[in-house]
Each structure stands twice: as C-alpha cells, then as structure tokens.
Amino acid sequence: MEARKIGRGFRQDANISNLGYWPTDGETIRHVARMLEFEEGEISIFDSSCGKLDALKPIHDRLKEQGASVSVYGIELHGERYQEAKAILREEGIEGEVLHADALTDVSLSEGWAGVSVFNPPYGELKRQSGDGDEVSVRIERLFWTQHIARTKKGTGITVAVLPTQLFARDVSLTKMIARHFSDAKVYRAADPRFNQVVIMGYRVDNSVNRGHFDQMLADTLIAIGENRADVPSIIHARDVFEALPSKAPQTFQCFHLTDEMAKNILQDGQQNIQGCREQIINHTLRAFGIGENIPSVMPLRDGHVPAVLASGRLNGRIETELGIFLFRGKAKKTITASNHYESDDKGKNERQVFERVHRTTTSVNYIDITPGRQFTLTQVI
C-alpha cells in the first residue's frame, strides 16, 4: 500500500515527517476528558491508533478521578511509540493492553465493548486494487472507521472522533456513515486551530432499537464545515456533559503476528507478574505460618524436640542462614487403617472375627526457599 496526501498544510508536513503520526493536541483532549462524567464501576476505553496513549491517558486519569476502574486498550504500528505506551501501562499499573500491529490488517477484536472510543486515525489516501484490477484511492479515515467504529458499545458507548474538516465534503459517503453512527452528537472546533480539525462527540446508536437512524442535521453541518460554509464553536468553550457508562473488557483483543517489540514486552510483563506472584506467595505463607506467634515451651528444648514440634504443625518459622532464607512449616496428618481377622481359643474352637482400626499420625516438615534471585522450591525435610 502506498500512502499519500496525508492531511494538508502544517499537518501534512508533520504527518510525513512522523510516518503519519500527529497526536490530538493536548488541550483538545483535556477538554474532551473534562466533559466525561462517570459514577462508578468498570469501564474500558479504546483507541485504534493510540500512539503513546496521548488521548487514552488523560481520559483514563479523568475517569479514574471519578472512582472508575478503567482498562485501556490501544493499537500502535510504530515500534518506539508502542514501547512507550506499554511502559506507561506497566509503570503506572494501568489495566489493559496495547498491540503492536497494523490496525487495518493484523488484528482480531471483539465488537461492542468500549465505553469510550477515540477515533483519530492517520489522515490521507491509500492506493488499492479494485475488484476489476483498476487502481483506486481510498481514504485512510474511511478504512479505520469501517474497521474499528464497531468497538464502541451500542447505545451507551461514547465515540470521540477527531477529523479534518476537508474530509466531510471530499468523502460524503463517509460523512453519512458518521451521521448514522451518532446520536446526541455535538461538534466542536479542535483547540489548536493549526490543524483545521473538528471533534465529534456522541453516543453510538443501537441499531436494534433505532433502525434506519440518520442524523440529517449532523450530516448537513459536517458537509457545510467541509465546504467552508459554516463553522462551530471551539471545544474550549464547550459546557456539555457526556455520561460514560460501565463497560466490560473485550473478549478478544489480539493480533495475528508477534513482533520483536511485543515479544520483549511479553517477557518483561511475565517477569513482573512472576515477581508479583512471588511476593504474594511469601506474604500468604508468612500469614499461614503464623510468623510472630510465640508458643511457650513447657520445658527447655532438647535434641529432637524442635523437629518433633515442627512436624506436629505447632511451630513454623522463617530461618535466615548463610545458605539462604527459608520458610519452614510442619504438618501432621491423621490416618486410620482398618483391618479384620479371625481368632480362636487355645483349643482352636470358638472362632470369632476381630475388627481393628489403627490410628496413626504422620508428620512432615517442609520448607520453601525464598532467597532472592533463586527459583521457588518446596522441599520435604522429615
């Protein structure tokens, strides 16, 4: 695929120099986040071209401030930006996932799950072969729209679309798709006037309820903006409120190919998860072993007493020696063995059946090696 005519003017030069990357300006996103209201619960947010979480992070922070449990999902093609996005998730403990993939050809995602979707794709055209073999130009924005707009949850999910004004008159059919998608939509000028963009915010229509929905006023407004016959207020002055509602994480969120960058992050995430599990096991074991409990002795301990007390399960402990750090725990398990046999008197008469049940206590002492830098090992001593 050959990309050309990415945006225009200032944005065009920036897109070309940044391989199509020019994130939504920070002030615009701050105002988008400001207008989102959330009460409580879980919510997932999504961006099909997330960059360094330029849009998702401020929205995440805004929803988090309001008590939401927020999961962040994004796709990013550029390796370094993907690495930065993953680092933010990891370092700040944010739930979710970022895929290093081509959002148009290399991903498999569930539909209808995102509580908030950000739509700010690369701008421009791609050369593609038509069904009859002719070369045709297709707007990148259209491709992203048809591929990913269905991630927004029907009826309650909010879509935030940041698009160039010239698009609406240039691709009227896409403008009509947008008008069919939104309900209760508002249109604003982006905060930074250099990019000649508008922000469309609204809810995704539930077509099972509103069949044939089409917002004619929205379509007319967007086309008029694209033809420079109309304008809208800046988002800086917007006082609207959009209520974000709970949404679940996607059931499927994956890509078809594993890049080197993704492999490194999977390994790094795995090491972090192992360390977290290690700490949880140690804390749980310390609690289970009753560390800090003092069990008074009825008499001075002699050789053999400590193993016996450990084995009985009455004494547990953390032992630190020059060989390492170990957690000990004793276990005592009761077993019953049943048997039967026949007995007779001294004359070999009066035979009778005898049932026996033998109660035994089986003891053991186990220890876990928790020395930093070593692999967890569970060893039975006695």
Side-chain angles (χ1 to χ4, degrees):
M1 294 187 298
E2 177 193 358
R4 66 183 184 86
K5 296 183 181 177
I6 305 176
R8 73 180 186 187
F10 178 82
R11 173 135 188 172
Q12 179 183 17
D13 296 339
N15 268 297
I16 292 171
S17 64
N18 289 280
L19 297 178
Y21 173 69
W22 195 259
T24 306
D25 66 277
E27 189 172 6
T28 294
I29 284 299
R30 281 193 295 274
H31 287 289
V32 167
R34 169 180 59 80
M35 290 190 284
L36 295 174
E37 295 289 345
F38 190 84
E39 290 190 0
E40 60 180 10
E42 301 177 2
I43 187 169
S44 295
I45 60 179
F46 172 66
D47 188 343
S48 59
S49 49
C50 68
K52 298 177 287 188
L53 304 186
D54 307 275
L56 289 178
K57 182 60 167 57
I59 292 174
H60 166 275
D61 294 346
R62 166 65 175 167
L63 296 172
K64 195 79 173 176
E65 287 173 1
Q66 300 177 76
S69 176
V70 190
S71 297
V72 171
Y73 294 88
I75 307 169
E76 177 53 42
L77 180 59
H78 190 272
E80 291 183 8
R81 291 192 285 271
Y82 160 77
Q83 296 277 28
E84 291 190 52
K86 285 291 291 186
I88 292 172
L89 294 186
R90 185 182 305 111
E91 293 168 5
E92 302 200 16
I94 298 174
E95 295 293 328
E97 180 61 277
V98 175
L99 301 178
H100 182 217
D102 186 331
L104 296 179
T105 62
D106 193 32
V107 294
S108 175
L109 280 63
S110 305
E111 294 186 357
W113 51 269
V116 178
S117 289
V118 178
F119 184 76
N120 181 20
Y123 301 166
E125 296 178 351
L126 291 176
K127 288 288 189 180
R128 285 191 163 184
Q129 296 293 324
S130 65
D132 56 9
D134 295 333
E135 189 177 71
V136 296
S137 295
V138 182
R139 292 294 303 183
I140 299 175
E141 300 95 312
R142 169 191 283 270
L143 296 174
F144 269 82
W145 183 272
T146 55
Q147 180 85 357
H148 291 295
I149 204 61
R151 314 304 171 202
T152 311
K153 187 176 180 180
K154 288 184 177 181
T156 60
I158 297 171
T159 297
V160 181
V162 184
L163 294 166
T165 59
Q166 70 272 17
L167 171 69
F168 306 119
R170 183 178 299 176
D171 193 339
V172 175
S173 63
L174 175 57
T175 304
K176 291 180 178 179
M177 289 183 193
I178 294 171
R180 282 191 287 269
H181 172 85
F182 281 102
S183 68
D184 301 320
K186 303 291 183 181
V187 185
Y188 317 98
R189 276 281 177 180
D192 192 328
R194 294 178 298 167
F195 303 147
N196 202 22
Q197 296 169 302
V198 295
V199 180
I200 312 167
M201 288 185 69
Y203 298 91
R204 181 187 176 189
V205 170
D206 186 347
N207 293 324
S208 63
V209 177
N210 298 316
R211 294 184 181 276
H213 169 83
F214 183 80
D215 190 334
Q216 187 66 57
M217 182 176 293
L218 175 60
D220 293 343
T221 300
L222 294 177
I223 292 172
I225 293 172
E227 294 175 345
N228 294 318
R229 295 186 289 105
D231 206 349
V232 288
S234 170
I235 196 170
I236 296 172
H237 307 299
R239 294 297 178 264
D240 301 299
V241 173
F242 293 87
E243 182 182 3
L245 296 174
S247 64
K248 298 295 184 181
Q251 291 185 339
T252 303
F253 193 87
Q254 61 189 25
C255 55
F256 300 119
H257 298 92
L258 181 65
T259 64
D260 290 343
E261 290 84 355
M262 281 194 72
K264 291 176 183 177
N265 275 280
I266 289 171
L267 292 174
Q268 193 167 351
D269 289 343
Q271 291 174 349
Q272 188 177 46
N273 292 336
I274 289 172
Q275 181 60 29
C277 290
R278 177 189 181 93
E279 293 173 0
Q280 289 182 27
I281 291 172
I282 291 174
N283 292 334
H284 174 77
T285 308
L286 287 170
R287 290 193 299 270
F289 284 4
I291 302 303
E293 294 181 4
N294 294 319
I295 302 177
S297 175
V298 296
M299 60 180 295
L301 293 177
R302 294 182 298 186
D303 291 344
H305 280 182
V306 171
V309 176
L310 273 170
S312 71
R314 294 297 300 159
L315 179 66
N316 303 295
R318 178 180 186 275
I319 298 177
E320 187 169 347
T321 71
E322 60 183 12
L323 299 178
I325 305 172
F326 309 92
L327 290 177
F328 280 84
R329 184 174 187 181
K331 289 185 177 181
K333 181 181 180 181
K334 292 183 179 180
T335 61
I336 300 176
T337 303
S339 64
N340 67 85
H341 62 276
Y342 291 90
E343 292 182 352
S344 58
D345 57 21
D346 294 338
K347 297 180 180 180
K349 299 180 178 180
N350 301 320
E351 188 177 75
R352 63 179 181 175
Q353 187 176 11
V354 179
F355 293 91
E356 290 184 343
R357 287 183 174 83
V358 180
H359 295 255
R360 291 188 177 89
T361 300
T362 303
T363 60
S364 66
V365 176
N366 300 307
Y367 74 83
I368 301 175
D369 186 343
I370 61 168
T371 307
R374 295 183 189 170
Q375 185 177 0
F376 275 120
T377 54
L378 176 63
T379 306
Q380 183 168 314
V381 184
I382 299 176

